[in-house]
Amino acid sequence: MTQQLKKVPLNQLHEEELKAKMVEFAGFWMPVRYSSDKDEHMTVRQAVGVFDVSHMGEFFITGDKALELIQYVSANDASTLPIGKAQYSYFPNGKGGIVDDLLVYHLGEKEYMMVVNAANIEKDWQWIQTQNQNIGATLTNRSDEFCLFAVQGPYAANTLQKLTETALADMPYYAITRTTFAGIPNIMLASTGYTKKGSGSFEVFVPQAEAYQVWKKIFEAGAEWGIKPIGLGARDTLRLEMGYCLYGNDITDHTSPIEAGLGWVTKFTKNFIDADLFKKQKEEGISKKLVAFRMVEKGIPRSHYPICDANGNTIGEVTSGTISPVLNIGIGMGYVNTTHNALNTEVFVKIREQLHKAIIVKPPFVD
Amino acid sequence: MNFPDNLKYTQEHEWIRVEGDVAIVGITAFAQNELGDIVYVDINSVGQSLAQNEVFGTIEAVKTVSDLYLPIAAEIVEINPELQENPQLVNEDPYGKGWLVKVAPKNLDDINQLMDAATYQGKL
């Protein structure tokens, strides 16, 4: 089955005006790099960068049954989520795996938004519609309406503050507000992101018609701090330095959230899909666990490389790996048997048939 | 993008240049641009005699790993010692400071079968 390659609304800007190198990702034609992966990475760590992540999906869940549906289809507890805040969560798939991971934003009274991964928009939409059959919340897939710009880095707040009267320095991490932004009323502005925990993380949901002018205004505002467009290459190294999971690599339809370390967003205070199964896994223990590790010896871990003990016996597999642009060493994540998952355990990554020493660490890799 | 006339080129985007009895091998400006930032060059084949198109090492960018193929049958005699600490030389100067290996060709004439700059450029 061949699927039509989708383009984000500002495709022409990225491809022709900014001359990005484009690649296919999650069914979309996306900018992977504008200048250099490392330079873009450091721009986000030290100044401010903008990602066009308009490929992401936005579902709106509203009405009297909205919370009931969210509570049933996702593992985190949205009943504790105040209006104006966001939480990380995932959809269990009814077989102990994960349909997708997502952010749930509580926008208003009986009004929520889910932001889901681009590759999973169709799958997620089918899934929650099916689950909603006996619940009856009002669901709207508005994925094609918005452009989503992630503005990230230590000067992100300074940049965006020029375009809104909402006091961004006072906005706690994982919040969302509707405000006038770049002269456009009622824009959703969130303090969320995929590059770093805490300050310097913002995402702006912009209607397509205004997207180009908003992008330009953000770049004018950030010019004094050297604002740059950032591609998917740096997005991956930035998230990996934080130890954040990437759906499709570290978590999939076949990985258990308990094994993936998502117990902290798995709340047994309510009923949800697979709750009994996950509870059992938590109580009885699991045989493997997703860990973060950094290389002690030279070498760059990559997805699917074996993880071994000192004798070369395979004890796990890398799911994500790269060189950290900040640390300049290999870092990665992977599943290892629970015989070897303790912090500071020495493990070995098999790179081209040779064992390279690594050590299990607690993420994030950089502060 | 620059493709010097004094080099020969391969389909795998390597270049080779004869210097006396040895030849120098690297990757092209096109190749380094496609790969992005080079972060690691892993070549353990010094002293080995390899056939044409055999893998003599790997080169890693932030996001990708690529095998390096020998343009002609040769013995690998030296690795660019600078690349261990400064792999980005391959990006900055792919035909100069970013050379990969020196090789002793089995038969220097083999080089004449490879593409010239214009032919290589025509295939990109």
Side-chain angles (χ1 to χ4, degrees):
Chain A
M1 192 177 74
T2 47
Q3 270 192 322
Q4 187 78 30
L5 198 58
K6 293 178 91 173
K7 288 182 176 174
V8 296
L10 299 188
N11 179 76
Q12 199 175 349
L13 166 77
H14 304 301
E15 196 165 357
E16 288 167 33
E17 208 174 310
L18 299 171
K19 305 262 186 263
K21 180 169 171 54
M22 307 292 288
V23 294
E24 188 181 344
F25 175 82
F28 282 81
W29 187 236
M30 295 292 289
V32 67
R33 179 197 319 141
Y34 298 85
S35 56
S36 133
D37 295 317
K38 278 173 132 176
D39 179 60
E40 289 169 28
H41 183 108
M42 296 313 291
T43 297
V44 173
R45 287 282 178 255
Q46 295 169 349
V48 52
V50 185
F51 308 74
D52 183 349
V53 285
S54 303
H55 61 320
M56 306 281 289
E58 292 90 7
F59 300 159
F60 285 71
I61 300 97
T62 54
D64 288 340
K65 299 287 189 173
L67 181 61
E68 188 182 335
L69 175 67
I70 294 166
Q71 290 293 68
Y72 182 62
V73 295
S74 61
N76 206 341
D77 186 355
S79 73
T80 64
L81 187 64
I83 290 174
K85 289 282 286 175
Q87 69 179 193
Y88 179 64
S89 191
Y90 65 90
F91 299 134
N93 72 357
K95 298 175 195 159
I98 300 170
V99 179
D100 200 3
D101 65 341
L102 68 147
L103 290 188
V104 178
Y105 295 85
H106 195 173
L107 300 177
E109 195 68 39
K110 298 173 187 173
E111 186 190 17
Y112 296 84
M113 173 174 68
M114 291 173 164
V115 174
V116 303
N117 284 300
N120 296 333
I121 292 173
E122 288 309 313
K123 180 178 79 163
D124 292 350
W125 183 241
Q126 295 302 327
W127 175 254
I128 64 165
Q129 278 187 307
T130 305
Q131 304 309 319
N132 190 39
Q133 274 168 5
N134 298 320
I135 296 176
T138 304
L139 295 179
T140 324
N141 180 356
R142 298 177 63 184
S143 302
D144 291 338
E145 275 178 50
F146 296 101
C147 281
L148 178 55
F149 301 147
V151 184
Q152 310 270 303
Y155 291 97
N158 304 54
T159 298
L160 299 180
Q161 195 62 74
K162 293 184 183 175
L163 301 171
T164 181
E165 285 179 2
T166 298
L168 299 179
D170 299 341
M171 212 168 155
Y173 190 48
Y174 266 54
I176 187 161
T177 185
R178 280 185 172 121
T179 184
T180 297
F181 181 84
I184 306 160
N186 217 22
I187 293 286
M188 290 188 293
L189 174 64
S191 50
T192 48
Y194 197 40
T195 63
K196 191 153 199 175
K197 199 174 158 75
S199 64
S201 296
F202 293 95
E203 295 182 298
V204 197
F205 298 80
V206 187
Q208 272 199 36
E210 278 100 13
Y212 185 78
Q213 67 168 90
V214 169
W215 174 279
K216 290 288 173 190
K217 282 186 180 171
I218 292 171
F219 274 77
E220 270 167 39
E224 63 175 296
W225 298 288
I227 194 168
K228 286 181 186 169
I230 313 295
L232 289 179
R235 186 168 171 82
D236 192 49
T237 52
L238 287 158
R239 70 95 191 167
L240 202 40
E241 278 187 346
M242 300 315 292
Y244 295 155
C245 287
L246 173 63
Y247 191 89
N249 277 44
D250 314 299
I251 50 176
T252 71
D253 265 306
H254 305 286
T255 56
S256 151
I258 305 304
E259 293 174 351
L262 299 182
W264 66 285
V265 287
T266 307
K267 300 290 167 62
F268 300 113
T269 46
K270 49 136 202 181
N271 182 42
F272 64 95
I273 295 167
D274 285 338
D276 292 343
L277 182 62
F278 297 155
K279 203 168 184 177
K280 196 165 163 237
Q281 286 180 1
K282 213 165 179 178
E283 283 163 5
E284 292 179 1
I286 46 180
S287 60
K288 59 179 180 175
K289 188 99 206 209
L290 186 65
V291 298
F293 60 87
R294 65 175 166 80
M295 300 306 296
V296 175
E297 295 175 348
K298 225 168 159 72
I300 303 169
R302 304 282 184 183
S303 183
H304 302 303
Y305 285 2
I307 301 173
C308 301
D309 65 14
N311 298 320
N313 303 306
T314 301
I315 53 164
E317 188 178 285
V318 177
T319 51
S320 286
T322 190
I323 188 163
S324 156
V326 169
L327 305 173
N328 204 29
I329 54 167
I331 60 170
M333 304 204 295
Y335 286 92
V336 299
N337 298 341
T338 43
T339 48
H340 288 77
N341 74 324
L343 286 183
N344 302 319
T345 304
E346 230 174 59
V347 294
F348 295 81
V349 180
K350 199 185 242 183
I351 304 173
R352 295 182 281 279
E353 296 309 311
Q354 286 192 326
L355 298 180
H356 294 249
K357 195 187 289 181
I359 188 165
I360 294 175
V361 296
K362 188 175 158 58
F365 291 99
V366 301
D367 294 324
Chain B
M1 235 175 264
N2 169 33
F3 302 100
D5 283 332
N6 61 333
L7 310 180
K8 291 288 193 173
Y9 298 86
T10 72
Q11 301 266 24
E12 305 294 343
H13 310 289
E14 273 99 21
W15 57 261
I16 184 164
R17 183 180 74 227
V18 175
E19 247 179 37
D21 340 329
V22 297
I24 297 171
V25 175
I27 65 167
T28 68
F30 174 81
Q32 67 78 23
N33 187 57
E34 285 293 300
L35 290 167
D37 294 320
I38 305 297
V39 290
Y40 190 35
V41 180
D42 189 9
I43 302 172
N44 300 304
S45 51
V46 170
Q48 292 179 22
S49 288
L50 301 174
Q52 186 181 27
N53 294 330
E54 239 187 297
V55 173
F56 69 92
T58 54
I59 191 161
E60 299 201 35
V62 173
K63 289 293 293 166
T64 48
V65 184
S66 291
D67 284 330
L68 296 164
Y69 298 92
L70 200 58
I72 55 170
E75 181 190 338
I76 312 291
V77 294
E78 187 186 341
I79 300 166
N80 182 348
E82 299 291 315
L83 297 183
Q84 188 73 6
E85 288 305 313
N86 298 303
Q88 74 279 9
L89 289 173
V90 179
N91 296 114
E92 292 163 5
D93 191 7
Y95 305 115
K97 287 181 181 153
W99 63 275
L100 298 176
V101 289
K102 277 185 189 160
V103 303
K106 209 169 164 188
N107 181 353
L108 265 179
D109 290 340
D110 290 348
I111 207 167
N112 297 323
Q113 299 157 9
L114 303 175
M115 287 182 274
D116 62 19
T119 312
Y120 173 68
Q121 217 168 337
K123 286 186 178 283
L124 295 179

